[in-house]
Amino acid sequence: TRLLGDSTQVVAASLAGIGAQVVSFSNTEVKLVAAASSAKTGDVVLVGETGGLVTKTNGWEYREQGAIVQVDPSSGSGGTEVLIIGSNLLGHGDSFASVTLAGVAPEVKLSNNLFLRVVAKAAAATTGDVVLTANTGA
């Protein structure tokens, strides 16, 4: 409680010394989007429009980011089975909230923290990113 201190809004925030995007705030809950960082622990700092600070010492831990190291094959059409290999793909969560290949959600056949086996769905020819979003939001 009293996350706003003597202010009426949160105008800035940081997590372990890294600026974070303020999504919403109230006196009892503040939602932030963490920026990318290397693994480290540090304070959560909320700054009100009056300049007042609300701090939670060592209240945030950045964890090792996931990385995709291989996508095989790197192109295909509907029905193509694709293997996505990497590390920490689950973003310290336990499932994937979404997976897309060039903006199209494939059928996920098998997944864990190190790889996913998916089947591409039919779509117009395009080039794009492989995006994995864990249930943690990472």
Side-chain angles (χ1 to χ4, degrees):
T1 63
R2 293 203 30 93
L3 294 177
L4 299 179
D6 292 326
S7 298
T8 59
Q9 60 183 325
V10 175
V11 296
S14 65
L15 301 169
I18 307 295
Q21 177 188 353
V22 179
V23 175
S24 64
F25 55 85
S26 72
N27 212 25
T28 58
E29 179 179 84
V30 175
K31 292 184 181 181
L32 306 173
V33 175
S37 177
S38 57
K40 63 180 175 177
T41 300
D43 299 346
V44 175
V45 179
L46 306 175
V47 182
E49 87 279 357
T50 63
L53 303 177
V54 175
T55 302
K56 171 69 174 167
T57 303
N58 288 324
W60 177 259
E61 179 185 5
Y62 274 103
R63 295 181 170 182
E64 181 182 343
Q65 293 182 6
I68 296 172
V69 297
Q70 183 178 357
V71 178
D72 186 38
S74 60
S75 64
S77 58
T80 300
E81 187 170 289
V82 180
L83 183 62
I84 302 165
I85 301 170
S87 62
N88 195 30
L89 298 178
L90 285 169
H92 301 282
D94 55 20
S95 65
F96 290 99
S98 69
V99 176
T100 61
L101 304 174
V104 179
E107 179 184 354
V108 177
K109 292 291 194 174
L110 183 64
S111 66
N112 62 36
N113 207 32
L114 299 174
F115 72 89
L116 283 91
R117 192 175 79 218
V118 301
V119 176
K121 291 193 178 168
T126 187
T127 300
D129 296 329
V130 174
V131 179
L132 311 178
T133 305
N135 64 336
T136 60

